[in-house]
Amino acid sequence: MSKGKQLTIWLIWLITWPTTIVYLYSILDPLPALQGREFDIISFTLLICVVAFFPIIVGETPIFFIHGISFAVFLYFGLFAEIILTQIAVIALMFKLRISKHELYRIPLNLTLFLFVSIISAAIFYLAGGENGPLTTMDIGTFIPIICYALGTIVANQVSVHLLLMFITGKRSKFFSTSLLWDVATSSITVPVGLVLYLLYTELG
């Protein structure tokens, strides 16, 4: 990638990332949901970092299963906690992959990508009537927002990756590709795992 495009990625991250985090913190007010559960959040953070350290490498693409844990965190603690844990997991993954000095742009690129995927998926969840916190009922109204969240994550991630590839390569690429199949396959595993983790945490702590 040219130095000009790398500089653009860094500038976009420096402008959008801190601004978005501060804005979300101010409007979501996440502290009430986290107070008294600091040890739980630390435990989830350690767990998601461990999972991030063991990705599956397909070709040159790392596939990692942090979404199951971040999904459980989102369902219980809300969007802000999910964003922070996901961002930490991405940094852990970058450290694990030992990216070279010439590939450092991948850090802001992935942080920005995952940030906006988290926001879009959460917006779809809330629009579908979803609510954060411990599960109170088990009916179709509970699972529709969850299904919408999973589908929103897949679509938002694929659209973002598609646009990024066009920006990086300067060429059009196929939207329906092998990466889409991998995304659907991993989501079919991570979403049920995240839901089970969420239910277990709700019941057992």
Side-chain angles (χ1 to χ4, degrees):
M1 182 188 294
S2 67
K3 290 184 178 180
K5 289 183 177 181
Q6 292 184 34
L7 179 60
T8 301
I9 291 172
W10 279 104
L11 288 175
I12 291 173
W13 176 74
L14 285 171
I15 294 170
T16 62
W17 193 91
T19 304
T20 304
I21 293 295
V22 171
Y23 176 71
L24 289 174
Y25 182 86
S26 65
I27 65 171
L28 295 175
D29 189 22
L31 289 183
L34 304 178
Q35 286 176 345
R37 296 184 179 273
E38 291 82 0
F39 177 78
D40 299 351
I41 291 295
I42 292 173
S43 299
F44 274 116
T45 303
L46 292 174
L47 179 60
I48 203 169
C49 287
V50 169
V51 172
F53 258 76
F54 295 96
I56 297 174
I57 307 297
V58 179
E60 297 181 354
T61 304
I63 298 175
F64 58 121
F65 297 91
I66 67 168
H67 291 299
I69 301 166
S70 64
F71 182 43
V73 171
F74 169 76
L75 288 177
Y76 198 97
F77 296 102
L79 174 60
F80 192 82
E82 184 271 331
I83 285 176
I84 297 303
L85 263 68
T86 300
Q87 298 286 296
I88 293 172
V90 171
I91 293 173
L93 176 66
M94 294 293 104
F95 180 79
K96 166 67 176 180
L97 295 177
R98 297 179 181 178
I99 58 176
S100 66
K101 182 176 68 173
H102 301 292
E103 294 181 312
L104 287 177
Y105 70 89
R106 292 174 61 184
I107 297 175
L109 182 65
N110 281 281
L111 289 176
T112 306
L113 172 66
F114 277 90
L115 173 62
F116 285 103
V117 168
S118 294
I119 294 172
I120 294 170
S121 303
I124 293 172
F125 176 83
Y126 295 134
L127 288 173
E131 296 181 357
N132 301 118
L135 186 66
T136 55
T137 59
M138 291 282 286
D139 54 29
I140 189 66
T142 303
F143 289 101
I144 287 177
I146 291 174
I147 294 171
C148 291
Y149 179 90
L151 293 175
T153 300
I154 294 172
V155 173
N157 185 63
Q158 284 301 310
V159 170
S160 300
V161 170
H162 183 72
L163 294 175
L164 282 172
L165 286 175
M166 290 177 61
F167 170 74
I168 292 172
T169 63
K171 300 178 181 177
R172 291 181 177 272
S173 59
K174 294 181 179 179
F175 181 79
F176 296 97
S177 60
T178 306
S179 64
L180 176 60
L181 295 178
W182 274 110
D183 212 357
V184 173
T186 53
S187 294
S188 66
I189 298 172
T190 56
V191 169
V193 168
L195 183 58
V196 169
L197 182 61
Y198 163 68
L199 294 173
L200 286 173
Y201 178 72
T202 300
E203 294 295 325
L204 306 176

